[in-house]
């Protein structure tokens, strides 16, 4: 596959995913029935009968992207592309209420050129407490938390200036929202998974990160999952590099901010 063709394919997938993220972020906030339908798809394969109601919401964005040949991506690249769109649609709907509300206000965080969606939340107070469990969202991801200010990813852009999962996690760690060792270990474990494995483990990791304050570039996540079948090691490398770039940048920024505050306090004391 020529680099130009590969670039075009990736842009087409990511642009479609960006549109889906923007639209579904709004709909799951405004339309409880849509949110409930999409949430029930968390963790299911596309061909599962439980996914039948989801086709109406995902197919308009997926189109025929999963049916086009992609030499070198994987033996069955269409499956990876298709699963990526459906998985991210369900993850957008499965977020706690506070996360959804901030995303709706600021945008879903689907690209470097857009204002990223807000991040984090508390257990939603509407509806039964079992809603998260029914959707396959881990219960610890919806516990009450003091809601931090939304985090802005910095310095961890991957190819094309977008933010991959590693950049999301690295920024959150650098700002003290996630434990460094545990998060890196979970990222490394995720990077070693098969296509089935990454889809099985991603919801729990992402739900925890989102509630704690991490933002997500949904369009880039769709593209990375779409590439997983044939380019897993390449995506894993990008995630690992993004993690450490963002972590370093976030820590450097925090150190600079602390130094500025200390200098300001010293100047105030001197006067």
């Amino acid at each position: 596959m020529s680099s130009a063709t590969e670039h075009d394919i990736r842009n087409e997938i990511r642009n479609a995913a960006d549109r889906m993220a923007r639209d579904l972020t709004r709909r799951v906030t405004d339309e409880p029935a849509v949110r409930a339908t999409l949430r029930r798809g968390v963790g299911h394969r596309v061909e599962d009968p439980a996914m039948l109601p989801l086709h109406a919401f995902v197919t308009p964005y997926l189109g025929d992207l999963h049916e086009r040949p992609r030499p070198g991506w994987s033996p069955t690249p269409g499956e990876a592309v298709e699963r990526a769109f459906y998985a991210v649609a369900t993850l957008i709907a499965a977020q706690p209420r506070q996360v959804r509300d901030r995303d709706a206000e600021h945008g879903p965080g689907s690209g470097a050129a857009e204002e990223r969606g807000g991040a984090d939340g508390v257990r939603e107070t509407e509806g039964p407490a079992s809603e998260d469990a029914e959707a396959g969202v881990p219960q610890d991801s919806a516990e009450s938390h003091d809601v931090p200010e939304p985090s802005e990813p910095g310095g961890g852009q991957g190819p094309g200036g977008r933010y991959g999962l590693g950049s999301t996690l690295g920024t959150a760690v650098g700002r003290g929202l996630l434990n460094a060792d545990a998060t890196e270990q979970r990222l490394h474990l995720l990077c070693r998974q098969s296509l089935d494995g990454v889809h099985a483990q991603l919801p729990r990791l992402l739900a925890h990160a989102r509630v704690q304050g991490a933002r997500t570039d949904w369009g880039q996540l769709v593209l990375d999952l779409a590439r997983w079948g044939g380019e897993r090691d390449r995506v894993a490398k990008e995630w690992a590099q993004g993690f450490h770039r963002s972590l370093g940048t976030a820590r450097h920024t925090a150190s600079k901010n602390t130094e500025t505050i200390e200098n300001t306090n010293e100047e105030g004391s001197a006067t």
Side-chain angles (χ1 to χ4, degrees):
M1 181 187 300
S2 70
S3 59
T5 302
E6 182 178 357
H7 182 267
D8 291 343
I9 289 174
R10 292 184 182 189
N11 277 344
E12 193 167 358
I13 289 174
R14 193 161 45 196
N15 289 341
D18 285 344
R19 292 193 301 272
M20 181 182 76
R22 286 193 295 268
D23 293 347
L24 291 186
T25 293
R26 175 184 55 79
R27 295 195 66 181
V28 300
T29 301
D30 297 341
E31 304 175 51
V34 173
R35 180 170 70 247
T37 297
L38 291 173
R39 286 169 68 98
R40 285 193 287 269
V42 173
H44 291 283
R45 296 179 68 96
V46 179
E47 61 270 20
D48 190 313
M51 299 290 280
L52 289 174
L54 277 70
H55 297 316
F57 303 105
V58 179
T59 303
Y61 307 98
L62 174 64
D64 66 349
L65 290 171
H66 62 303
E67 298 174 350
R68 302 180 192 175
R70 291 172 180 81
W73 273 34
S74 74
T76 55
E79 178 188 4
V81 174
E82 186 177 56
R83 289 183 72 174
F85 274 84
Y86 281 82
V88 169
T90 65
L91 292 174
I92 290 172
Q95 300 173 101
R97 180 178 180 179
Q98 184 79 11
V99 181
R100 295 197 310 267
D101 288 348
R102 290 190 179 220
D103 276 358
E105 180 178 357
H106 300 293
S110 57
E114 299 175 274
E115 182 178 6
R116 277 169 179 70
D120 335 272
V122 296
R123 182 188 248 326
E124 52 185 303
T125 56
E126 58 177 312
S130 60
E131 189 182 37
D132 288 304
E134 178 186 354
V137 180
Q139 291 299 304
D140 63 355
S141 71
E143 293 175 356
S144 295
H145 292 271
D146 292 330
V147 181
E149 288 300 311
S151 315
E152 183 67 25
Q157 296 97 325
R162 301 293 292 259
Y163 295 92
L165 180 64
S167 300
T168 292
L169 298 177
T171 299
V173 168
R175 297 189 174 184
L177 304 175
L178 297 173
N179 176 273
D181 291 340
T183 302
E184 186 174 10
Q185 290 173 8
R186 294 179 75 175
L187 178 62
H188 288 178
L189 178 61
L190 189 68
C191 287
R192 294 193 291 268
Q193 299 301 310
S194 65
L195 185 61
D196 285 340
V198 75
H199 279 277
Q201 294 196 18
L202 180 62
R204 178 176 291 275
L205 174 60
L206 189 59
H208 176 67
R210 289 284 285 166
V211 167
Q212 296 301 327
R215 295 184 176 188
T216 304
D217 184 336
W218 296 114
Q220 184 64 39
L221 183 59
V222 169
L223 177 59
D224 288 345
L225 292 175
R227 298 165 55 205
W228 200 262
E231 295 187 327
R232 182 196 67 179
D233 291 346
R234 187 172 173 184
V235 175
K237 181 198 73 171
E238 292 168 4
W239 284 1
Q241 290 175 338
F243 176 85
H244 290 288
R245 280 196 301 267
S246 289
L247 175 58
T249 299
R251 284 177 170 171
H252 177 73
T253 300
S255 176
K256 285 291 187 182
N257 289 342
T258 300
E259 182 179 343
T260 299
I261 293 172
E262 290 176 348
N263 290 339
T264 301
N265 291 339
E266 289 176 0
E267 291 173 0
S269 300
T271 58

